[in-house]
């Protein structure tokens, strides 16, 4: 079964690309929404910790896990650290750290660990990172600590879909290949196995490895999972889609293609 940590990551990944308005207020959905339960329905507060709390509470993780998580949640990272330390849930990165655990620095920032790399870095999903919800690569050497809520669990076999990659939402991102050729080979296998899906080669961030995204008909224009991760990216996506439509009048299926982020 999918782990509780994986369920929270699945929820958190829904909001990748959301950007705040000035300052700490909604420019996109989620910014105000995650602040509302704490008494700030109109936003205006630093929201990284509230984003974490919102994603866990709204996830499909089991009730026991969500209830345990709630006991340490706070708009303040310092309070989160204090509560987690008192429960024995706080400490340095270790062999027991798992996707879905939280990375945190007391009084500074908190987010989700999405993946652990072998070189001392880790991939994240985090809110209020450069004014948005982003996936970044961070290093443990920068002082990040871990909050591991009991029951987070190890990613199970259902965390992959048909052997092609991580299962996040209806629109899925499959990645981790070191070269475009390796990615394209896997993309072709996926396309052959899913003839009704569109596929598209992408790079999610400048230093990410090669990936592709795919989804069922009607989901291609979900810009938050494209290479268009930020506010101006939506405009770029819309422009590219209009150009594509002009060249392919009457065609509904969109083939995968390299994007302006590809290199």
């Amino acid at each position: 079964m999918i782990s509780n940590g994986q369920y929270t990551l699945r929820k958190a990944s829904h909001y990748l690309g959301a950007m705040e308005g000035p300052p700490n207020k909604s420019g996109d959905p989620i910014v105000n929404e995650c602040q509302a339960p704490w008494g700030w329905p109109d936003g205006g507060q630093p929201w990284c910790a509230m984003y974490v709390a919102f994603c866990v509470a709204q996830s499909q993780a089991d009730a026991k896990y969500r209830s345990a998580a709630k006991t340490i949640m706070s708009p303040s990272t310092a309070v989160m650290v204090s509560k987690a330390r008192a429960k024995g849930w706080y400490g340095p990165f270790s062999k027991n750290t798992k996707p879905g655990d939280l990375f945190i620095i007391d009084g500074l920032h908190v987010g989700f660990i999405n993946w652990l790399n072998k070189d001392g870095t880790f991939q994240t999903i985090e809110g209020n990172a450069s004014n948005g919800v982003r996936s970044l690569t961070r290093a443990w050497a920068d002082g990040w600590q871990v909050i591991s809520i009991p029951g987070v669990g190890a990613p199970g076999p259902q965390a992959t879909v048909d052997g092609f990659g991580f299962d996040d939402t209806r629109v899925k991102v499959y990645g981790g290949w070191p070269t475009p050729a390796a990615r394209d080979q896997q993309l072709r296998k996926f396309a052959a196995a899913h003839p009704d899906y569109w596929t598209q080669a992408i790079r999610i961030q400048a230093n990410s490895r090669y990936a592709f995204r795919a989804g069922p008909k009607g989901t291609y224009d979900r810009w938050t999972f494209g290479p268009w991760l930020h506010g101006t990216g939506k405009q770029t996506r819309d422009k590219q889609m209009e150009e594509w439509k002009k060249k392919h009048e009457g065609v509904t299926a969109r083939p995968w293609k390299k994007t302006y982020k590809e290199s």
Side-chain angles (χ1 to χ4, degrees):
M1 60 183 294
I2 297 175
S3 70
N4 286 317
Q6 214 77 56
Y7 275 127
T8 62
L9 289 169
R10 176 180 288 186
K11 187 64 179 179
S13 66
H14 276 69
Y15 305 106
L16 278 169
M19 296 295 291
E20 70 178 37
N24 294 313
K25 294 185 177 183
S26 278
D28 285 308
I30 189 56
V31 183
N32 284 6
E33 286 85 340
C34 69
Q35 298 182 58
W38 301 95
W40 295 295
D42 298 320
Q45 304 295 322
W47 49 280
C48 64
M50 291 182 277
Y51 170 75
V52 165
F54 182 91
C55 291
V56 175
Q58 298 298 319
S59 73
Q60 291 182 292
D62 65 47
K64 183 178 180 180
Y65 180 78
R66 287 184 282 115
S67 179
K70 188 175 180 179
T71 65
I72 65 163
M73 294 302 173
S74 168
S76 164
T77 55
V79 171
M80 288 182 69
V81 167
S82 177
K83 289 183 174 182
R85 181 184 279 120
K87 291 176 177 288
W89 299 353
Y90 173 80
F93 164 74
S94 74
K95 64 180 181 180
N96 296 318
T97 302
K98 299 178 176 67
D101 282 340
L102 308 181
F103 69 93
I104 192 166
I105 288 182
D106 187 343
L108 180 64
H109 189 61
V110 65
F112 293 104
I113 299 168
N114 191 25
W115 192 253
L116 298 162
N117 300 321
K118 295 180 179 180
D119 61 356
T121 65
F122 58 100
Q123 308 300 129
T124 75
I125 300 177
E126 53 192 283
N128 204 19
S130 299
N131 304 322
V133 179
R134 300 180 186 271
S135 174
L136 303 176
T137 300
R138 293 189 180 274
W140 296 113
D142 291 333
W144 299 104
Q145 300 292 298
V146 177
I147 293 178
S148 184
I149 301 163
V152 64
Q158 291 184 32
T160 61
V161 177
D162 301 330
F164 291 103
F166 179 69
D167 170 13
D168 3 68
T169 62
R170 283 189 77 203
V171 176
K172 299 177 176 67
V173 176
Y174 306 95
W177 299 287
T179 65
R183 185 270 321 281
D184 292 350
Q185 181 181 25
Q186 193 75 339
L187 188 154
R188 286 191 290 270
K189 290 181 180 178
F190 182 96
H194 300 82
D196 293 333
Y197 275 46
W198 54 263
T199 53
Q200 182 185 49
I202 64 169
R203 290 183 73 187
I204 297 176
Q205 57 193 43
N207 61 349
S208 71
R209 292 189 174 186
Y210 296 92
F212 68 90
R213 63 192 289 261
K217 292 179 180 179
T219 61
Y220 179 85
D221 59 354
R222 282 196 52 173
W223 69 277
T224 56
F225 272 104
W228 318 277
L229 279 186
H230 313 303
T232 55
K234 184 175 185 297
Q235 299 172 11
T236 303
R237 179 214 66 193
D238 292 344
K239 181 179 179 181
Q240 289 186 349
M241 288 182 65
E242 287 304 314
E243 291 174 350
W244 193 94
K245 289 176 182 178
K246 289 177 182 178
K247 294 178 181 179
H248 303 83
E249 186 175 355
V251 178
T252 56
R254 297 181 175 91
W256 75 272
K257 61 183 179 64
K258 290 185 178 180
T259 73
Y260 72 99
K261 285 282 188 177
E262 198 62 71
S263 64

